[in-house]
């Protein structure tokens, strides 16, 4: 049986990504970050690890996360205050998600549970 141990996220700026994703997800560094790699784990110890690797290309990678919440509006506001921005998107009627980008331009969705 397999289980997801980590999501690996390509970023241009490791310190900025550590700051944003730690605050966004309530994660902490597993061990000190290097110039090209950092591993974040849930502060409470429960959940999937997020590994941040320095990407050679400034273009957003072909990956994204769906973040589920009970209060989408509040979380979108909080994430935007941390540095996320709305991504231009054509939503289907009744869409339960909002598409944002992290400070490196990587898209992710905030989904109303």
């Amino acid at each position: 049986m397999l289980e997801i141990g980590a999501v690996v996220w390509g970023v241009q700026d490791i310190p900025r990504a550590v700051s944003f994703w730690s605050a966004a997800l309530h994660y902490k560094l597993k061990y000190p970050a290097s110039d090209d790699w950092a591993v974040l784990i849930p502060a409470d110890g429960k959940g999937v690890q997020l590994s941040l690797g320095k990407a050679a290309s400034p273009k957003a990678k072909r990956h994204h996360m769906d973040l589920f919440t009970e209060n989408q509006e509040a979380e979108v506001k909080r994430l935007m205050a941390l540095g996320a921005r709305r991504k231009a998107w054509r939503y289907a009627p009744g869409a339960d998600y909002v598409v944002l980008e992290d400070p490196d331009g990587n898209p992710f969705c905030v989904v109303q549970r």
Side-chain angles (χ1 to χ4, degrees), residues 28-102:
K28 64 181 182 178
L29 281 166
K30 185 173 184 178
Y31 43 78
S34 70
D35 291 340
D36 62 354
W37 188 256
V39 176
L40 300 175
I41 57 174
D44 67 3
K46 300 175 189 168
V48 174
Q49 167 177 302
L50 178 63
S51 300
L52 304 168
K54 184 154 182 139
S57 170
K59 293 183 179 181
K61 307 300 168 242
R62 294 182 63 85
H63 60 234
H64 81 271
M65 287 187 278
D66 288 343
L67 306 176
F68 290 72
T69 180
E70 301 295 334
N71 190 340
Q72 181 187 60
E73 183 179 349
E75 287 297 332
V76 167
K77 286 180 184 176
R78 185 179 73 82
L79 292 165
M80 291 181 71
L82 293 172
R85 58 192 173 271
R86 285 187 181 265
K87 181 172 177 63
W89 199 261
R90 184 187 274 155
Y91 292 94
D96 63 349
Y97 62 94
V98 172
V99 183
L100 300 177
E101 292 178 326
D102 73 4

Side-chain angles (χ1 to χ4, degrees), residues 11-22:
V11 301
Q12 291 292 297
D13 184 322
I14 295 291
R16 180 178 66 189
V18 166
S19 177
F20 177 80
W21 287 111
S22 293

